Amino acid sequence: MGAEEKFDVIVVGGGPAGLTAAYVMAKAGLQVVVLERGDYCGSKNMFGGIFFTNVLRELIPDFEKDAPLERVVTKRRWSLLTPDGEIGGGFKFSKFAQEPHNNSYTVLRAKFDKWFSEKVEEAGAMILTGCVVDGFLKDEKGKINGVKARMDDGDIYGDCIILADGVNSLLAKQLDMHRELAPESTIVGVKEVIEFPEEKIKDRFGLNDNEGVAYEYFGYAAKGAIGSGFIYTDKTSISVGVGGTIKSLMEHKLNPNDLLEWFKNHPAIRPLVNGGEQREYAAHLIPDGGYNRLSKLYKDNVLVVGDAAGFVNASLFHEGTNLAMMTGKIAGETVIKAKEANDFSEVMTARYEHRLRESSAMKDMKKFRHLAHVLDTTPQLFEKYPVIMEEFVRDMFTVDGESKNAKQMRLVMRLLRKENPISFALTGLKGRRVII
């Protein structure tokens, strides 16, 4: 790449958000370069396990023909873990086994992102891997016109920069476009990929053909800290992990690796994960600030997408990849319009945020905007209430000759001695704001 070569757009980061933006712009004929610091796209990326493909389907309708998909998620289950038990429920629909499969698949990002990057290259974009970007280039008027990369001829010029460099975007911070990560709304997630024979996975989780499951755990999943856990099935492995907010993990003096071992050995989890061989271990920060802590999304010549902007819906729905790809798609389409007008000022880049606010991505983020605050201010949901719930359910279903009416009254009275009714009601109202 020559020192004088200039691109229409520079995309920093080769995850779903950055690759989607690059794909959209390259298909429209723009000269696009993607700068990825990993050895290949997907080499350093981690997520729980469900890849939501509604945006991908718009871009590549026949992606299922050759995309490295693991399993179709036909069964989902949510459980409240107690210190040594589980209270849960979920659903399984055979319709999800039929196309378009509810746009819900398990994938391994090392395989999937690499496949997607090849599609981006086929569309006409250039991808440079092993490329770390340290800062920005500016012209004599102070306008950003490129980036400084650690490579030969490391000054790379472009009319517009899309930042897709992840949750702790150092580049966005340089431009005052990224809020500092708050310990009460930033999750440390740890995950293992454990290998099993395919038939054992089908038998253990009751699966047919390419069906898969998503099990998600709340309550005491993080040993009383504010957090959750998960198990997702791949073809010949399972992804198992747990995460908690930085603030709560510090308050409980929990090491993330030790927490994962505790989670794997919980009586409700151990039968599902034991007997396999560990193939991968990873840790990652997850933005959980939601709508109220989204970063600044645009300025002259710059747009911020995906995790770098804080687009994760950490509610019961646990959506991230679809939000990342939607922000990437809309950012790419915004840049195409800016190129047509030869205007990359805020007047044009502001259209990115305007369109996002009309999208389901932003509307869902706004709907669950209270989540991080509610969880941080109701720690009893993760430690005290699971114990109370376990005692109540266990005793109600203990057959000992006591009448159900008498038992129910006794248990209710015991519950009221342990928890103030007003506090309990207020917690319920708070919970309603982030679930419904």
Side-chain angles (χ1 to χ4, degrees):
M1 185 171 64
E4 301 302 319
E5 188 166 358
K6 176 186 173 185
F7 296 88
D8 294 320
V9 193
I10 300 168
V11 179
V12 183
L19 291 175
T20 298
Y23 183 87
V24 168
M25 296 182 295
K27 292 288 280 188
L30 273 64
Q31 297 298 309
V32 182
V33 62
V34 178
L35 307 179
E36 164 57 39
R37 65 184 175 91
D39 293 336
Y40 57 88
C41 292
S43 64
K44 61 178 181 55
N45 293 330
M46 171 203 159
F47 82 137
I50 303 183
F51 201 105
F52 299 101
T53 57
N54 53 306
V55 179
L56 180 63
R57 195 175 297 278
E58 294 178 25
L59 304 179
I60 310 175
D62 61 349
F63 71 90
E64 290 159 309
K65 290 182 179 179
D66 62 347
L69 306 170
E70 293 293 313
R71 291 186 178 274
V72 175
V73 179
T74 59
K75 180 179 179 181
R76 296 191 69 173
R77 178 178 173 84
W78 294 269
S79 294
L80 178 76
L81 287 190
T82 68
D84 62 359
E86 173 187 20
I87 304 168
F91 62 77
K92 179 179 181 180
F93 299 127
S94 59
K95 181 167 282 190
F96 286 173
Q98 305 166 14
E99 293 185 0
H101 303 302
N102 196 38
N103 286 312
S104 300
Y105 301 83
T106 55
V107 304
L108 297 171
R109 289 283 298 279
K111 296 179 181 179
F112 185 89
D113 289 15
K114 187 175 182 180
W115 168 85
F116 193 21
S117 70
E118 292 168 356
K119 295 296 182 183
V120 172
E121 288 180 312
E122 290 172 11
M126 176 186 293
I127 298 180
L128 301 178
T129 57
C131 180
V132 178
V133 177
D134 292 314
F136 297 94
L137 302 171
K138 297 182 180 180
D139 64 16
E140 63 279 2
K141 297 180 180 179
K143 184 181 76 172
I144 293 172
N145 64 352
V147 298
K148 300 175 183 178
R150 297 181 200 171
M151 55 183 294
D152 294 337
D153 298 328
D155 290 352
I156 304 174
Y157 293 89
D159 291 322
C160 191
I161 319 295
I162 293 181
L163 301 181
D165 52 333
V167 54
N168 193 29
S169 176
L170 299 179
L171 294 174
K173 286 181 179 180
Q174 290 182 27
L175 302 177
D176 294 323
M177 296 180 71
H178 190 284
R179 295 188 178 190
E180 286 297 330
L181 298 175
E184 70 274 11
S185 60
T186 304
I187 295 171
V188 178
V190 286
K191 166 189 168 182
E192 281 186 14
V193 175
I194 304 174
E195 188 174 75
F196 291 94
E198 183 173 357
E199 290 304 313
K200 179 174 282 293
I201 290 176
K202 289 182 178 181
D203 181 64
R204 182 168 289 187
F205 292 92
L207 305 175
N208 297 312
D209 302 321
N210 69 333
E211 290 181 341
V213 304
Y215 289 174
E216 292 162 355
Y217 300 90
F218 302 95
Y220 214 79
K223 205 174 182 180
I226 297 173
S228 62
F230 61 82
I231 297 175
Y232 302 112
T233 54
D234 307 311
K235 285 182 179 177
T236 58
S237 64
I238 64 171
S239 297
V240 53
V242 65
T245 66
I246 294 175
K247 177 183 175 183
S248 190
L249 292 180
M250 291 178 65
E251 289 175 345
H252 285 75
K253 296 180 172 56
L254 292 172
N255 175 287
N257 182 63
D258 294 340
L259 182 60
L260 178 59
E261 290 302 313
W262 179 88
F263 178 71
K264 287 164 50 184
N265 283 286
H266 187 281
I269 307 302
R270 188 170 58 249
L272 300 175
V273 305
N274 67 356
E277 184 173 353
Q278 185 194 81
R279 287 299 185 188
E280 179 184 324
Y281 176 89
H284 193 61
L285 291 178
I286 303 168
D288 190 26
Y291 179 86
N292 292 333
R293 291 196 62 84
L294 287 177
S295 295
K296 182 173 173 56
L297 301 176
Y298 65 91
K299 65 182 305 179
D300 289 345
N301 308 83
V302 179
L303 300 172
V304 187
V305 298
D307 278 9
F311 277 91
V312 172
N313 179 357
S315 69
L316 192 67
F317 299 96
H318 278 183
E319 296 180 11
T321 52
N322 52 331
L323 305 187
M325 295 186 76
M326 189 172 293
T327 62
K329 176 176 178 288
I330 293 175
E333 292 169 347
T334 301
V335 173
I336 292 169
K337 292 294 185 182
K339 175 65 177 177
E340 292 173 353
N342 193 31
D343 180 6
F344 296 92
S345 70
E346 280 198 7
V347 173
M348 292 298 293
T349 57
R351 295 184 179 187
Y352 167 54
E353 182 169 330
H354 294 160
R355 285 197 55 200
L356 270 178
R357 292 196 178 280
E358 298 171 355
S359 72
S360 61
M362 190 70 88
K363 290 176 181 177
D364 286 348
M365 292 287 288
K366 189 172 184 179
K367 176 178 175 62
F368 298 104
R369 64 190 180 277
H370 301 296
L371 177 65
H373 175 71
V374 168
L375 297 184
D376 183 52
T377 56
T378 53
Q380 61 268 33
L381 290 172
F382 299 87
E383 192 164 15
K384 183 177 183 180
Y385 286 1
V387 173
I388 292 174
M389 285 291 295
E390 177 181 23
E391 291 178 356
F392 188 89
V393 174
R394 185 187 63 219
D395 288 358
M396 276 299 297
F397 283 85
T398 296
V399 179
D400 55 9
E402 184 180 10
S403 74
K404 296 297 185 286
N405 282 337
K407 180 173 292 189
Q408 181 174 317
M409 182 60 67
R410 178 173 55 79
L411 292 174
V412 168
M413 294 304 296
R414 188 170 72 186
L415 184 150
L416 293 177
R417 286 194 297 271
K418 292 186 175 183
E419 181 65 0
N420 183 291
I422 295 176
S423 175
F424 193 79
L426 289 175
T427 300
L429 289 173
K430 280 186 177 182
R432 182 180 180 277
R433 296 176 73 192
V434 301
I435 295 175
I436 300 175

